[in-house]
């Protein structure tokens, strides 16, 4: 086990608590629901294939993969998100397995899956190389690895840049939005993969009337935003400043319209 992996395990409790804050299930259902099916289509998931969705949350990619007839395992570090996803699957009559797991140390056999996916999931694990190593390890030779991540330049990347001064960074943690850079992902996967493709696209969001509405939705529902505000709750001036900056960010991207474009990077590759 690497030192980074050991440190990553020390962060498990913090990350579980972070993603249990608010209501990420609402964020997934109301905003990012189209992303999972887009990733599943890009990876060509088919009936009978063994699929692992890593950092699956409530199953944004796992559920559409299962609907295609794949044998799916949805893994995530946060049991609250897994329970929410399992309830959704049960209500819709979708059959798949839910697994609590650290993406830096997956409890899966090497080469166990035909496809290994992650939809705005593994990008939030603090140490990137151990995660990439695990994605490759559990994928069979010739299998597909598919990743969909927010770009640094896109709206969500800018949101995290806005919040960064208000959030302490754990030692050794790498910026999440690096996963939205094709060169970074290509370097992480190294010479263990072939047929590497990376395409930028955008998710169209028409949920918010103005920047303040965006800010308030994320303050109520999105774990990292809630954590940022909790860390400065005793400093009214900093709360006011972050309030203003997030609302301005939303207004800037709405640009007087009722829609935003949230840019993401979609990567597919084959394991050698």
């Amino acid at each position: 086990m690497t030192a980074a992996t050991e440190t990553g395990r020390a962060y498990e409790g913090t990350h579980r608590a972070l993603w249990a804050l608010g209501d990420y299930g609402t964020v997934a259902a109301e905003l990012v629901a189209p992303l999972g099916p887009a990733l599943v289509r890009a990876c060509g998931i088919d009936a009978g294939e063994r699929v692992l969705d890593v950092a699956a949350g409530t199953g944004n990619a796992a559920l559409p993969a299962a609907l295609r007839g794949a044998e799916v395992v949805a893994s995530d570090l946060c049991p609250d998100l897994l329970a929410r996803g399992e309830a959704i699957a049960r209500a819709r009559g979708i059959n798949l397995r839910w697994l609590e797991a650290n993406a830096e140390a997956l409890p899966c056999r090497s080469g166990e899956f035909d496809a290994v996916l992650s939809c705005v999931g593994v990008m939030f694990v603090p140490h990137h190389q151990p995660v990439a190593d695990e994605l490759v390890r559990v994928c069979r030779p010739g299998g597909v690895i598919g990743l969909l991540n927010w770009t640094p330049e896109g709206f969500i990347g800018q949101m995290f840049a806005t919040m960064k001064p208000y959030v302490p960074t754990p030692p050794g943690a790498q910026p999440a939005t690096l996963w939205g850079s094709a060169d970074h992902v290509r370097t992480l996967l190294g010479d263990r993969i072939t047929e590497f493709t990376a395409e930028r696209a955008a998710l169209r969001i028409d949920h918010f009337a103005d920047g303040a509405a965006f800010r308030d939705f994320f303050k109520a529902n999105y774990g990292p935003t809630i954590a940022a505000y909790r860390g400065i709750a005793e400093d009214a001036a900093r709360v006011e400043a972050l309030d203003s900056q997030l609302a301005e960010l939303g207004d800037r991207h709405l640009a007087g319209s009722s829609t935003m474009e949230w840019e993401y990077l979609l990567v597919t590759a084959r394991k050698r």
Side-chain angles (χ1 to χ4, degrees):
M1 182 187 299
T2 66
T5 300
E6 291 177 350
T7 305
R9 287 189 169 181
Y11 291 148
E12 285 187 8
T14 301
H15 277 258
R16 285 193 185 96
L18 173 69
W19 291 102
L21 292 173
D23 186 357
Y24 184 75
T26 293
V27 177
E30 296 187 10
L31 300 181
V32 302
L35 297 182
L39 178 59
V40 168
R41 286 193 300 271
C43 293
I45 303 302
D46 208 350
E49 290 189 314
R50 302 162 300 166
V51 176
L52 176 65
D53 183 6
V54 184
T58 56
N60 190 266
L63 294 172
L67 284 171
R68 288 196 170 205
E71 299 176 9
V72 179
V73 177
S75 71
D76 198 277
L77 188 60
C78 181
D80 292 0
L81 296 182
L82 292 173
R84 176 78 172 265
E86 188 171 12
I88 294 169
R90 186 164 53 255
R92 296 174 61 185
I94 303 173
N95 185 37
L96 66 157
R97 184 161 69 93
W98 301 86
L99 174 68
E100 185 177 338
N102 184 340
E104 293 188 11
L106 294 167
C108 305
R109 300 188 306 276
S110 297
E112 183 174 348
F113 297 96
D114 300 302
V116 180
L117 316 179
S118 186
C119 183
V120 293
V122 296
M123 66 180 293
F124 295 109
V125 180
H127 307 110
H128 297 183
Q129 193 61 62
V131 175
D133 293 345
E134 284 294 88
L135 298 176
V136 175
R137 181 184 68 81
V138 301
C139 186
R140 68 164 174 82
V144 66
I145 297 169
L147 305 168
L148 191 155
N149 298 308
W150 304 119
T151 65
E153 303 85 0
F155 177 77
I156 297 298
Q158 291 181 38
M159 182 189 76
F160 275 99
T162 300
M163 295 193 301
K164 184 177 180 180
Y166 302 91
V167 181
T169 301
Q174 295 174 272
T177 53
L178 281 177
W179 283 91
S181 164
D183 289 344
H184 182 69
V185 178
R186 186 68 183 84
T187 299
L188 290 173
L189 298 175
D191 61 4
R192 299 168 295 182
I193 54 96
T194 63
E195 300 180 30
F196 181 89
T197 66
E199 177 182 343
R200 290 189 179 220
L203 175 67
R204 188 178 179 86
I205 299 291
D206 58 4
H207 196 84
F208 306 114
D210 56 23
F214 143 72
R215 177 200 64 210
D216 292 345
F217 180 91
F218 271 69
K219 284 178 70 173
N221 294 294
Y222 193 59
T225 307
I226 295 169
Y229 275 96
R230 285 190 176 183
I232 60 173
E234 302 303 317
D235 189 333
R238 298 193 80 199
V239 170
E240 183 179 356
L242 183 54
D243 270 347
S244 175
Q245 289 165 16
L246 288 176
E248 288 172 3
L249 175 68
D251 285 333
R252 189 162 65 249
H253 279 260
L254 284 165
S257 73
S258 60
T259 61
M260 297 178 178
E261 301 283 332
W262 293 4
E263 186 182 63
Y264 60 85
L265 181 77
L266 199 162
V267 167
T268 62
R270 292 274 172 190
K271 181 176 175 178
R272 289 189 184 276

